[in-house]
Amino acid sequence: RVEEEERTQGAERRVRASGLVELGREHAQHQQQRPKIHDVFARRTRELEDAGLHLLEVAQLQIDRCAVEDVVRQRVDGALQPLAARGIHGGRRLAVLRAGEFAITTELAPPDSADPDDVFKRARVFDGYVDAINATDGSGANCHMSSLAVCALLTRIGYAPVMQISCRDKNRIAIQGDILGGAAMGVCNMLCLSGDGVQSGDHPQSKPVFDLDSLSLLQIATTMRDKGTFQSGRKLSSNPKVFFGAAENPTVAPLEHRASRLAKKVAAGAQFIQTQYVYDMDRLRNFMSRVEDLGMLDKVFLLIGVGPFKTAKGAEWMRNNVPGMHVPDALIKRLAGAEDQAKEGRQICVDLIQEARSIKGVHGVHIMAYRQEESVAEIVDRSGVLEGRVPWYPNRDKNTEGNSP
């Protein structure tokens, strides 16, 4: 029995040893293949472009060679599909801005639902008209599906989302975890917000957190990305490759301090700004003039917030009841005098986009069409600001080929 046990143990040792040798061979082969990744990328440039990934994005986001190999190899249903991971999808928006294109972003209102199809249906109405989709984070202090969850669903099928992070509901521990989690799932645009007060929402009895504000959140977020550490100083094993932004309101008091507030956010790490609704172009011009005086025009991308009104009464109600809203009397009068107020509201939005584009330092618009999401395509189309450009969306190239003669 002893001899039999020794023979059995010896056989097991030989099997384990042969397995380790085989594993070592596989590792050596993999290491030999790594230098060839650059050649793979060079040969597959066209495939990457078809998948929505462009050379400028690779340069800007510094995607490593292994990530490029992963993209080349990832196939779904026999067709090349870009990975959401490693910052690839979010980079399209950065590439659009840095290429000098006029960028279009919009907002998706998260559903009061646990069904992912409710998210996908809401996103599809924007196909071909926007460069990125914001997933709001408890907007108005009302409860909906989380921004992180919406963004995870959108990146799964190839959209470029902007994850909103509100300081109202989470402390710095949870927020830093969400930044890592979002980046791991392919979210590469994040908007840092203080958040609306709980008293304005549907759970006024809830306790606000506000452990951070938008400035301190930006500082912590950019430290994670640029220095690779949590705020505590603990080292990250992989930095989040994220394009961080903030919000600003150019048209409400104190007007003289709005540009300096923007400058502080840029200093804290904001790379793009999405403003609140702007319906007064004169105030916007004054704001942009102050921004230029502070030397900020070439340091941040500015996207101006616009949106359609359905009725004059609705515009007046928002002016009187929504904090931070400035709606000129002339605009309400124009709406009130229109035979079709909803149509006139969309036309006003088109006019605002066209006028905003003519202002120095404006890099795009952020269209907020709450409960009018289906109007975004019409508004963008009539504004003409895309000039024939078709923003990327899942299956864009396939659909374009199918429609060609």
Side-chain angles (χ1 to χ4, degrees):
R1 285 198 299 270
V2 172
E3 291 177 355
E4 185 177 350
E5 289 176 1
E6 288 179 350
R7 285 196 299 271
T8 302
Q9 291 172 1
E12 289 176 350
R13 283 195 295 270
R14 287 193 294 274
V15 169
R16 286 198 297 270
S18 63
L20 289 172
V21 169
E22 184 63 29
L23 182 61
R25 286 174 183 157
E26 291 179 0
H27 178 70
Q29 290 173 358
H30 177 68
Q31 292 299 101
Q32 291 173 1
Q33 290 173 358
R34 285 177 65 87
K36 299 178 182 178
I37 294 172
H38 179 73
D39 296 334
V40 172
F41 175 61
R43 293 196 306 269
R44 302 288 183 86
T45 297
R46 177 56 189 167
E47 289 183 341
L48 288 169
E49 290 177 348
D50 289 343
L53 178 65
H54 301 281
L55 292 176
L56 177 60
E57 300 167 48
V58 178
Q60 297 295 349
L61 294 171
Q62 299 177 343
I63 300 173
D64 60 57
R65 290 180 174 182
C66 284
V68 174
E69 185 182 46
D70 288 342
V71 175
V72 173
R73 290 179 175 178
Q74 180 71 8
R75 292 180 176 275
V76 175
D77 296 331
L80 188 70
Q81 175 174 301
L83 281 180
R86 300 183 186 265
I88 292 169
H89 287 142
R92 265 195 305 280
R93 181 158 172 266
L94 175 58
V96 167
L97 289 168
R98 296 212 173 173
E101 301 282 1
F102 194 78
I104 306 289
T105 61
T106 192
E107 284 189 353
L108 183 153
D112 299 337
S113 165
D115 187 347
D117 283 339
D118 291 340
V119 174
F120 300 144
K121 289 175 184 176
R122 295 182 184 212
R124 290 189 190 105
V125 301
F126 304 127
D127 282 0
Y129 293 94
V130 304
D131 296 295
I133 301 172
N134 282 42
T136 59
D137 185 19
S139 179
N142 294 306
C143 190
H144 309 285
M145 184 186 290
S146 72
S147 178
L148 177 60
V150 171
C151 289
L153 290 170
L154 292 179
T155 56
R156 181 191 298 176
I157 59 172
Y159 285 102
V162 179
M163 185 173 112
Q164 294 190 359
I165 306 173
S166 169
C167 298
R168 178 193 59 239
D169 303 323
K170 297 180 180 180
N171 65 17
R172 68 193 66 196
I173 298 173
I175 287 175
Q176 288 176 94
D178 281 354
I179 291 173
L180 291 182
M185 290 185 287
V187 180
C188 271
N189 304 300
M190 297 187 186
L191 188 70
C192 300
L193 306 168
S194 292
D196 301 314
V198 296
Q199 68 278 2
S200 63
D202 59 357
H203 289 71
Q205 72 277 20
S206 62
K207 293 182 179 180
V209 179
F210 292 115
D211 181 30
L212 304 171
D213 59 17
S214 59
L215 284 175
S216 55
L217 170 54
L218 279 165
Q219 291 167 345
I220 289 174
T222 53
T223 295
M224 294 174 69
R225 182 193 63 201
D226 301 336
K227 297 182 180 179
T229 65
F230 291 111
Q231 190 194 28
S232 66
R234 186 156 53 89
K235 190 75 175 173
L236 301 174
S237 60
S238 177
N239 300 13
K241 298 178 178 69
V242 177
F243 191 43
F244 287 113
E248 190 47 75
N249 196 335
T251 62
V252 298
L255 296 174
E256 62 276 11
H257 298 307
R258 289 295 174 178
S260 60
R261 278 170 50 90
L262 179 143
K264 290 179 181 178
K265 292 178 180 180
V266 174
Q271 297 165 284
F272 71 95
I273 298 290
Q274 290 177 325
T275 77
Q276 305 290 356
Y277 288 106
V278 173
Y279 293 106
D280 191 324
M281 288 294 118
D282 290 335
R283 289 193 179 186
L284 177 61
R285 287 190 180 87
N286 291 335
F287 170 78
M288 295 301 297
S289 178
R290 292 189 179 99
V291 170
E292 183 176 17
D293 292 342
L294 292 173
M296 291 288 109
L297 286 188
D298 60 347
K299 295 182 179 179
V300 66
F301 297 108
L302 277 158
L303 291 90
I304 306 304
V306 296
F309 288 120
K310 279 189 174 182
T311 64
K313 285 186 178 180
E316 194 164 5
W317 184 91
M318 288 187 70
R319 179 173 68 176
N320 296 333
N321 294 279
V322 177
M325 282 288 293
H326 168 68
V327 185
D329 290 335
L331 187 149
I332 294 177
K333 185 177 180 180
R334 176 179 167 182
L335 271 173
E339 183 177 345
D340 186 336
Q341 293 188 10
K343 182 178 179 180
E344 188 66 18
R346 294 192 295 274
Q347 183 58 49
I348 289 172
C349 191
V350 169
D351 295 342
L352 291 171
I353 292 172
Q354 292 173 335
E355 194 167 352
R357 189 187 185 190
S358 68
I359 299 174
K360 183 180 179 181
V362 173
H363 299 89
V365 290
H366 178 55
I367 304 175
M368 296 169 278
Y370 180 63
R371 293 185 178 178
Q372 298 186 71
E373 288 85 356
E374 69 284 349
S375 70
V376 170
E378 176 192 343
I379 290 168
V380 173
D381 202 34
R382 288 170 56 190
S383 72
V385 293
L386 288 178
E387 297 182 334
R389 180 173 69 87
V390 181
W392 196 90
Y393 63 92
N395 297 317
R396 179 196 66 177
D397 299 328
K398 185 184 297 185
N399 292 340
T400 301
E401 291 171 5
N403 294 332
S404 59

